Amino acid sequence: MIAYLVLFLVIAAVIAYFVASRRAVAVAGDDTRGLHSRPIYHGLNALVYTAVPAFIFILLWLLFEGSVIDMMLMSAYPGADAMTGSERDLLISEIRQVAVGNIFREPTPEITAAVEQIRSLNATANILLGAAVVIIALAGAALAVTSVSKRFLARHSFERSVTIFMIFASTVAILTTIGIVASLLYEAFQFFQRVPVTDFLFGLRWEPQIPLREDQIAGQGAFGAIPVFVGTILVAALAMAVAVPVGILSAIYLTEYASPRFRAVVKPMLEILAGIPTVVYGFFAVLTVAPALRQAGLSLGLDVAPNSAIAAGGVMGIMLIPFISSLSDDAFAAVPQAIRDGSLAVGATKGETIRKVLLPAALPGIVGGVLLALSRAIGETMIVVMAAGLIAKMTVNPLDSVTTVTVQIVTLLIGDSEFDNPKTLAAFALGLMLFIITLFLNLIALRVVRKYREKY
Amino acid sequence: MSNAAETPTIPRPAWKSPEMAARRRKRYAADRRLQRCGMAAIVFALGFLVLLVASLLYTGASAFIQTKARVTIDLTSADVSADDLMGAPWRRIVRGSLLALEPTEIPRSDRRAYFRMFTSSAPFLVRDHVIANPDLIGKTFQFEVPFSDPLDQFAKGQISRDTPEDRRRVSNQQIGWFDNLQASGIVSKPFNWGLIFNSDSRFPELAGLAGAISGSFWTLLVCFLISFPVGIAAAIYLEEFAPKNRLTDLIEININNLAAVPSVVFGLLGLAVFLGWFGLPRSAPLVGGMVLSLMTLPTMIIVTRAALRSVPSSIREAALGIGASRHEAILHHMLPLSMPTILTGTIIGLAQALGETAPLLLIGMNAFITSPPEGVFSASTALPTQIYIWADSPERGFVSRTSAAILVLLGFLVLMNGLAVFLRNRFERRW
């Protein structure tokens, strides 16, 4: 149905384009210079007027059709008021399945009635939508085509439409942020109604596997996020311990010591490390790094967990090397040559120049880069999902298995979309924390770079 | 010269003294140490790159070939009629053909172990082959049946004969049968086209990436269709039209921040807003593409703005000077000139989106789906989520499949980035 409507819109818009531009030519007579706008603008204007309002109408309709029909169904269904949200969702999906012909068991009379209703509702909705779209499109086309005249400012009208689209496009970024904040706050608020904020922020036990039914035997559920935060910080710290020294040292070598040819070959190769998808790093950690570390630990008499923090953190550190390296590179490049020359002229060696002059001068840029990398490490998901543990432990032992915020978000939400139990809502509370922390780190990083950058 | 008398004479350091020489040596040694540390850091990083690629190649290479047995299928009996191909006794037919491979009669009690050497879906494979080629009915033809995963690994040398029998998944008896089959020359190891053209399966020997590749294609298509026009429009507005005020400042800060938001948060957005509030279908490439387009949008905007800025203003002024409107100057002149740069950035952005996993997991694109998606609304996986699913599978055979899938993904990434570099070198203008 929708596909046919879109096809109709496309055809109608193209026809409107040709009709309007022909008409503009006809109106102009022999001398097209008499027209304010060239015929193509009359055509384009008609095209926009025909297709765009109707298309927006289709999108809005699609957004609200499902929930309106659900509401009408449930208001007619006997006993629906007494149901919980998930029971209602289950019922609705059963009705929809039966309506399209997937019958798993003999439907009850109520469901059969509801199916009849949903079919008639769907049919009505389709007719209404089709009629409305045709009317809107034809009205737009008629308006645009009839307004074609010598003095009609078709170019202005079309450019106004383009500008409106451009303004809408630039607000998408804001809408996305609003969407993120709103969804996280809303779901986290639901969570904090069931679990007090203080329990979440300061609790020392994280056991989100709660019983879903009364008779189920499971943990009681505890949502103290401190162990998860500790695990996150541990993994991020291990990643930074690998990435910061290696990244800065390689940047020093590449900017100060390497020949241009060496640099031209090695720098892109380092950048490859940043282009590899994180799921690949995750598999690499599981396949190669973790067993190797375990073997090494055994030979030293240490007990390394199979999903140790050090494997996940170390691999994450490797992923972050090019990130820190290229940001430090920029910071070194921003230090003027005169400062290097001055230091060398008073007799410092190259190494002393780097350590005592270059590094302090480039420090704000480097610190900013490290903070950005830290925010990435905290938000990084796939490596830890595959290589770190699931159980939250209060430990800072890098050989032990820990869990992180992102691991918990993913494991709590995979295969689960019911938003009415604390287990899934907890993921949104963690997501909110993650969003706030990374936002702060990014803002601080940008500020550090801006404020403390030496002006030469 | 009274002035000279007042300046205190600075004692010249004894440069040649042994103490100074030792000090110099120390300073130069520190210098060399720093240089060596830098070199070591680069070797460390690149060493891991090599190790990563090598370990993937080492484990993944074997998944590109598949051990198969050439079986003669006899459809001359009356059991198979064109009217009811689905209902024909495929299992009996195929098992009969498999038993015929072995020179000696296999006792009934051992047949279970014997049949387990071949993929358990063999009857369905033959059935589908016959349905696709109905002229085979009533004839005798050859068909390549894949071996099951343990035998496949044995044939590739990943399971050794020397391992004690109770510690390997292939019994001595099966090895004996396999040797017989090999001696009769029906065992072959062709390139594993199934890895590319099959969909996901519970059995490693049949699992392929077709569903994941087409899922990724649809996802990226949606992502491109949204982020390309919206990104360019936003960039043009911010670069050329936007008044300098608090609102546009806010938009700029927003764009920079969005570029640094963790990807899993975008997944939460997709789950709560697109699935929860708007009720869009779960696991659909449509939703995946929408989420990824929000993630690539900042990249798109930043790239396009830089491209527009690099077009010399003489172009715009010339267009305006001969009477073009601002829109015309941009759409007819500046945008076409900066298009190569924008396309390069778009391809790089799409390559990043292709490797993105976490948001797709949250919107359910990690489902077990055995057929390629028909469009943007049907449930599907994507390449990175397929890798995640296989990496999580307990069967041993999936380890090499996962590495192979990663190699396929990396292949696509190399292709896309290569295309971007080509575009940049071939079409980009330097002003």
Side-chain angles (χ1 to χ4, degrees):
Chain A
M1 178 69 189
I2 303 293
Y4 288 122
L5 282 179
V6 171
L7 191 68
F8 164 76
L9 281 187
V10 171
I11 294 172
V14 171
I15 292 175
Y17 171 85
F18 281 112
V19 169
S21 54
R22 287 282 158 75
R23 200 177 137 99
V25 174
V27 164
D30 320 327
D31 187 11
T32 43
R33 280 177 302 173
L35 285 171
H36 168 271
S37 307
R38 286 188 292 144
I40 186 174
Y41 282 111
H42 289 279
L44 287 173
N45 189 44
L47 189 140
V48 168
Y49 268 67
T50 311
V52 173
F55 188 67
I56 293 172
F57 183 80
I58 293 181
L59 287 185
L60 288 178
W61 182 282
L62 286 183
L63 270 187
F64 294 110
E65 184 190 26
S67 40
V68 169
I69 286 186
D70 288 352
M71 241 167 60
M72 291 166 83
L73 270 185
M74 285 299 104
S75 64
Y77 195 87
D81 299 333
M83 291 181 180
T84 62
S86 63
E87 278 173 351
R88 222 178 276 184
D89 288 348
L90 226 85
L91 180 65
I92 288 174
S93 72
E94 185 178 354
I95 293 172
R96 285 184 181 273
Q97 285 296 320
V98 175
V100 294
N102 298 333
I103 300 171
F104 301 111
R105 54 176 180 170
E106 197 54 35
T108 62
E110 290 91 1
I111 288 186
T112 322
V115 166
E116 284 304 312
Q117 195 194 358
I118 202 174
R119 281 191 183 141
S120 77
L121 279 176
N122 274 337
T124 327
N126 271 342
I127 292 170
L128 277 180
L129 173 65
V133 165
V134 170
I135 289 171
I136 294 173
L138 291 183
L143 181 67
V145 170
T146 51
S147 57
V148 173
S149 72
K150 277 190 180 179
R151 300 313 318 152
F152 178 55
L153 310 183
R155 180 171 61 77
H156 291 207
S157 170
F158 172 67
E159 288 181 351
R160 205 178 310 124
S161 314
V162 172
T163 309
I164 291 174
F165 172 65
M166 292 197 301
I167 292 176
F168 164 75
S170 21
T171 51
V172 167
I174 291 193
L175 291 180
T176 309
T177 311
I178 293 175
I180 289 175
V181 173
S183 58
L184 290 181
L185 276 181
Y186 177 75
E187 309 288 354
F189 180 71
Q190 306 253 317
F191 173 71
F192 289 134
Q193 281 185 328
R194 291 152 213 234
V195 178
V197 185
T198 46
D199 284 12
F200 175 73
L201 283 182
F202 305 112
L204 297 179
R205 272 178 57 239
W206 177 265
E207 284 157 19
Q209 299 306 330
I210 54 162
L212 296 174
R213 294 190 313 272
E214 296 285 321
D215 53 340
Q216 208 172 1
I217 297 169
Q220 277 308 299
F223 292 96
I226 292 283
V228 183
F229 293 150
V230 170
T232 309
I233 292 168
L234 176 64
V235 172
L238 288 167
M240 300 315 282
V242 172
V244 171
V246 176
I248 293 179
L249 281 172
S250 57
I252 286 177
Y253 189 86
L254 285 177
T255 48
E256 302 300 322
Y257 288 110
S259 66
R261 272 181 59 195
F262 183 82
R263 186 178 151 86
V265 174
V266 169
K267 201 161 157 47
M269 284 178 73
L270 275 183
E271 301 289 332
I272 292 178
L273 281 175
I276 293 176
T278 53
V279 67
V280 178
Y281 280 109
F283 186 63
F284 176 61
V286 177
L287 180 75
T288 311
V289 178
L293 283 172
R294 198 166 158 72
Q295 276 301 320
L298 278 181
S299 63
L300 291 174
L302 292 169
D303 183 28
V304 183
N307 41 16
S308 59
I310 193 165
V315 172
M316 195 191 284
I318 292 164
M319 183 193 78
L320 292 172
I321 288 172
F323 196 71
I324 291 192
S325 170
S326 72
L327 285 169
S328 317
D329 208 328
D330 295 346
F332 286 130
V335 178
Q337 187 63 31
I339 289 187
R340 289 189 186 88
D341 293 346
S343 166
L344 292 172
V346 296
T349 65
K350 201 160 190 179
E352 286 161 354
T353 307
I354 292 167
R355 271 182 292 136
K356 304 210 167 123
V357 178
L358 217 52
L359 218 47
L363 199 59
I366 295 175
V367 170
V370 168
L371 286 178
L372 284 179
L374 180 64
S375 124
R376 285 223 171 173
I378 290 174
E380 169 48 46
T381 311
M382 287 321 292
I383 296 177
V384 278
V385 165
M386 294 170 85
L390 291 179
I391 296 171
K393 275 190 213 160
M394 276 294 263
T395 175
V396 288
N397 178 4
L399 306 180
D400 211 340
S401 134
V402 295
T403 191
T404 72
V405 173
T406 48
V407 173
Q408 289 305 316
I409 292 176
V410 170
T411 44
L412 290 177
L413 286 178
I414 275 193
D416 226 332
S417 65
E418 297 302 334
F419 288 167
D420 56 357
N421 70 66
K423 187 182 140 205
T424 44
L425 290 174
F428 284 90
L430 287 175
L432 183 65
M433 298 301 296
L434 182 67
F435 181 72
I436 292 173
I437 292 170
T438 51
L439 187 69
F440 259 98
L441 279 174
N442 292 328
L443 290 179
I444 293 172
L446 287 179
R447 177 146 295 193
V448 164
V449 173
R450 280 218 193 111
K451 187 162 182 191
Y452 297 100
R453 184 190 289 151
E454 303 282 339
K455 301 266 189 324
Y456 298 110
Chain B
M1 299 295 277
S2 56
N3 278 349
E6 283 163 27
T7 355
T9 46
I10 305 165
R12 282 178 66 85
W15 293 116
K16 301 231 164 98
S17 71
E19 298 86 58
M20 285 311 255
R23 204 182 122 150
R24 251 195 325 273
R25 268 200 302 281
K26 239 171 96 183
R27 287 171 63 200
Y28 284 133
D31 206 6
R32 277 195 299 277
R33 247 192 333 270
L34 183 64
Q35 189 172 358
R36 275 196 217 112
C37 282
M39 196 64 215
I42 290 174
V43 169
F44 175 82
L46 293 185
F48 264 101
L49 180 63
V50 171
L51 182 65
L52 191 151
V53 174
S55 70
L56 289 176
L57 282 176
Y58 177 72
T59 50
S62 68
F64 285 100
I65 52 172
Q66 169 69 44
T67 324
K68 290 185 173 181
R70 198 168 58 252
V71 181
T72 310
I73 308 275
D74 180 14
L75 294 188
T76 47
S77 76
D79 291 343
V80 183
S81 73
D83 308 329
D84 185 23
L85 282 177
M86 293 302 269
W90 295 111
R91 197 175 143 96
R92 193 160 49 82
I93 295 170
V94 171
R95 290 200 157 182
S97 308
L98 290 177
L99 284 176
L101 294 176
E102 202 59 37
T104 52
E105 176 79 8
I106 293 167
R108 233 158 234 296
S109 55
D110 291 345
R111 284 188 184 172
R112 232 176 108 86
Y114 178 70
F115 290 133
R116 251 197 279 170
M117 289 170 62
F118 306 93
T119 178
S120 58
S121 304
F124 309 120
L125 295 179
V126 175
R127 181 192 72 196
D128 295 343
H129 182 69
V130 175
I131 289 177
N133 306 287
D135 52 314
L136 292 173
I137 298 165
K139 293 186 187 142
T140 303
F141 64 98
Q142 308 259 309
F143 189 79
E144 303 262 337
V145 174
F147 279 98
S148 68
D149 182 49
L151 262 294
D152 184 40
Q153 289 192 26
F154 172 74
K156 290 170 183 166
Q158 286 160 347
I159 296 178
S160 164
R161 261 168 226 272
D162 307 330
T163 321
E165 187 179 10
D166 54 343
R167 294 190 54 191
R168 57 174 140 83
R169 293 185 299 148
V170 188
S171 66
N172 286 338
Q173 195 182 26
Q174 285 176 323
I175 291 179
W177 286 324
F178 184 77
D179 288 341
N180 288 343
L181 293 179
Q182 209 153 26
S184 57
I186 60 156
V187 175
S188 63
K189 287 184 193 168
F191 184 81
N192 185 9
W193 288 109
L195 183 70
I196 311 288
F197 294 113
N198 286 356
S199 280
D200 198 9
S201 164
R202 275 189 302 119
F203 307 105
E205 67 270 14
L206 295 178
L209 292 169
I213 290 174
S214 70
S216 270
F217 168 76
W218 288 115
T219 309
L220 283 192
L221 185 70
V222 172
C223 174
F224 172 76
L225 287 180
I226 297 175
S227 67
F228 188 69
V230 173
I232 289 181
I236 292 179
Y237 182 74
L238 291 174
E239 193 62 30
E240 302 285 336
F241 290 100
K244 198 84 189 105
N245 59 25
R246 297 186 69 133
L247 183 68
T248 48
D249 273 354
L250 186 69
I251 293 177
E252 304 227 353
I253 295 173
N254 237 305
I255 290 169
N256 287 333
N257 264 329
L258 272 188
V261 169
S263 60
V264 69
V265 172
F266 282 95
L268 289 175
L269 168 81
L271 180 62
V273 176
F274 295 152
L275 298 188
W277 297 351
F278 294 171
L280 291 172
R282 221 175 140 71
S283 311
L286 175 73
V287 184
M290 285 164 76
V291 172
L292 292 184
S293 71
L294 295 183
M295 293 184 60
T296 38
L297 201 56
T299 324
M300 285 293 312
I301 294 176
I302 292 166
V303 166
T304 309
R305 291 186 69 172
L308 285 174
R309 228 176 287 141
S310 72
V311 177
S313 53
S314 57
I315 304 256
R316 181 199 355 241
E317 282 151 15
L320 294 176
I322 55 169
S325 70
R326 283 170 79 194
H327 282 80
E328 285 171 331
I330 293 162
L331 293 179
H332 297 177
H333 300 284
M334 297 180 61
L335 199 56
L337 285 173
S338 47
M339 209 33 112
T341 322
I342 298 176
L343 282 180
T344 310
T346 307
I347 294 171
I348 290 173
L350 286 181
Q352 278 170 8
L354 176 61
E356 204 54 70
T357 321
L360 301 185
L361 286 185
L362 290 194
I363 59 159
M365 288 187 80
N366 59 335
F368 177 68
I369 293 155
T370 53
S371 61
E374 286 149 15
V376 293
F377 287 103
S378 51
S380 131
T381 57
L383 264 177
T385 49
Q386 191 69 57
I387 290 168
Y388 174 71
I389 299 170
W390 283 359
D392 246 17
S393 300
E395 285 93 348
R396 283 290 306 279
F398 274 118
V399 174
S400 64
R401 300 267 153 175
T402 312
S403 295
I406 288 176
L407 290 174
V408 171
L409 174 65
L410 293 181
F412 277 112
L413 291 180
V414 168
L415 263 181
M416 291 173 81
N417 283 299
L419 184 65
V421 170
F422 170 76
L423 274 179
R424 177 153 51 207
N425 293 341
R426 180 77 178 71
F427 294 108
E428 199 169 294
R429 272 171 196 250
R430 296 255 167 260
W431 300 96

